[in-house]
Amino acid sequence: MVSTTPIEPMDSPPPGPAGAVTGALAARSAATGRAGDKVFLALSRGSGIFLLVLMASIAVFLTYRAAMALTENEGNFLTTFDWNPAGNPPVFGIAVLLFGTVVSSVIAMAIAVPVAVGIALFISHYAPRKLAGPIAYVVDLLAAVPSIIYGIWGALFLVPYLEGLNLWLDHFFSWTYIFEKTQVGVARSLFTVGILLAIMILPIVTSVSREVFLQVPKAHEEAALALGATRWEVIRMSVLPFGRSGVISASMLGLGRALGETMAVATVLSPSFLISGHLLNPGGGTFAQNIAAKFDEANELGRDALIASGLVLFVLTLLVNGGARMIIARRKEYSGANA
């Protein structure tokens, strides 16, 4: 005879008290999971919206105060070489500040990024494990040093000793015009500031690059070694292409700190509102250094003028980071197309 007893579905709980308990626990788990997902989604979405609102509020505040200052300015804000908001008439511009900020940051990036990538490669692929750990710890510790400490060290140690380097550069490379020293004075120049900023951003770029290089799939490296590649060829063909986007991101993090660095630059630099292509000459200025030096003594219009310069720095930082994101996204698309 064929049994007519109905077969219980596989997913249904067994009959009796045990089945009731199992069903209740399953229902409670499902409800809890859905509630947790909803809470997490709400918190994540709220955090993202809050960040956008915060950025927009900062932009609106800076734009409003900058507009108040620019209506009183008698000079061209982008090309004027003077900063005198308290004058009659008030005249101020950011030409010198933009030049000093960009030049010192470019010098810092040109020095720091190659050195940081080399240190990251040494820690991740060359150094023995017992040595790589302490070196990585020291590098991470350098990132936590306050900027004022770097500034004091730069003023008391770097500035006196760099004067000899400046004279050497002037003697052998004055024909480049950039390394020609035409003014007598200590090494409180944009070149010195660039070297100090390079030292400050070195730990950031190194730490991020090191973590990226450690994420390279071991199978790629082992395959290259199996084909007879040397260690440098493995790094050149497998590690560097894989970590290129990460190195760009790390460099942009370092550049962001270099653009906005305040106390270290204010401690080392001898401020002046003159633009000179001779980077060894004392003088110059940056946005952050000028704001820190003049904010307390400025009147209402002077503070609005400083906020206007802060708006330019804000836009400059956004453009730099936006450009970096575009480069990274384009490289990902290119890598995906070639995969």
Side-chain angles (χ1 to χ4, degrees):
M1 296 180 60
V2 178
S3 175
T4 58
T5 304
I7 301 175
E8 294 290 338
M10 294 292 293
D11 295 335
S12 61
V21 173
T22 304
L25 291 176
R28 181 178 179 182
S29 175
T32 304
R34 287 195 295 271
D37 290 341
K38 292 179 180 180
V39 171
F40 182 77
L41 176 62
L43 291 176
S44 302
R45 183 177 298 168
S47 300
I49 295 174
F50 173 75
L51 178 61
L52 294 177
V53 171
L54 181 62
M55 294 290 292
S57 63
I58 293 174
V60 169
F61 169 77
L62 294 176
T63 304
Y64 173 73
R65 296 294 295 268
M68 295 177 61
L70 296 179
T71 56
E72 303 292 334
N73 187 16
E74 294 296 328
N76 190 312
F77 184 64
L78 297 177
T79 59
T80 300
F81 282 40
D82 193 14
W83 190 271
N84 189 20
N88 190 18
V91 178
F92 51 89
I94 61 165
V96 177
L97 304 178
L98 181 61
F99 176 82
T101 301
V102 172
V103 168
S104 60
S105 299
V106 169
I107 294 173
M109 296 294 293
I111 297 173
V113 172
V115 177
V117 172
I119 296 174
L121 288 174
F122 176 75
I123 294 174
S124 60
H125 288 81
Y126 283 96
R129 185 172 300 178
K130 293 182 179 180
L131 182 61
I135 294 178
Y137 176 76
V138 172
V139 170
D140 293 339
L141 190 63
L142 288 175
V145 176
S147 60
I148 188 61
I149 303 300
Y150 281 109
I152 295 174
W153 174 80
L156 299 180
F157 179 83
L158 197 61
V159 169
Y161 284 94
L162 274 182
E163 184 62 21
L165 176 62
N166 289 353
L167 295 176
W168 183 84
L169 290 173
D170 176 64
H171 181 73
F172 290 99
F173 297 98
S174 59
W175 54 272
T176 62
Y177 181 81
I178 295 176
F179 295 115
E180 182 180 3
K181 188 175 178 63
T182 60
Q183 298 180 19
V184 179
V186 294
R188 294 184 176 273
S189 61
L190 290 176
F191 183 68
T192 304
V193 171
I195 294 177
L196 181 61
L197 291 176
I199 297 172
M200 295 180 66
I201 68 176
L202 184 66
I204 299 174
V205 183
T206 301
S207 298
V208 178
S209 300
R210 182 190 73 236
E211 295 301 323
V212 172
F213 293 152
L214 289 174
Q215 301 303 318
V216 178
K218 294 299 181 183
H220 293 182
E221 300 181 28
E222 293 172 355
L225 290 172
L227 292 174
T230 63
R231 182 172 295 184
W232 162 242
E233 290 173 338
V234 170
I235 291 174
R236 183 170 57 86
M237 295 186 298
S238 299
V239 178
L240 291 179
F242 180 88
R244 188 175 289 115
S245 297
V247 172
I248 294 175
S249 300
S251 301
M252 292 305 105
L253 286 175
L255 180 58
R257 181 172 185 181
L259 289 172
E261 183 53 47
T262 305
M263 295 309 301
V265 178
T267 307
V268 171
L269 187 62
S270 177
S272 68
F273 272 82
L274 294 174
I275 290 181
S276 175
H278 305 292
L279 300 183
L280 302 183
N281 290 336
T286 66
F287 287 113
Q289 171 267 330
N290 187 61
I291 293 173
K294 299 183 180 299
F295 195 84
D296 284 342
E297 62 186 26
N299 56 17
E300 189 67 23
L301 178 59
R303 293 185 179 182
D304 289 343
L306 294 172
I307 291 175
S309 67
L311 175 62
V312 177
L313 179 60
F314 181 77
V315 173
L316 179 62
T317 305
L318 289 181
L319 291 176
V320 168
N321 285 276
R325 296 300 305 173
M326 291 178 60
I327 294 173
I328 294 173
R330 183 171 298 180
R331 293 208 63 85
K332 287 182 178 179
E333 292 178 359
Y334 178 78
S335 300
N338 291 339

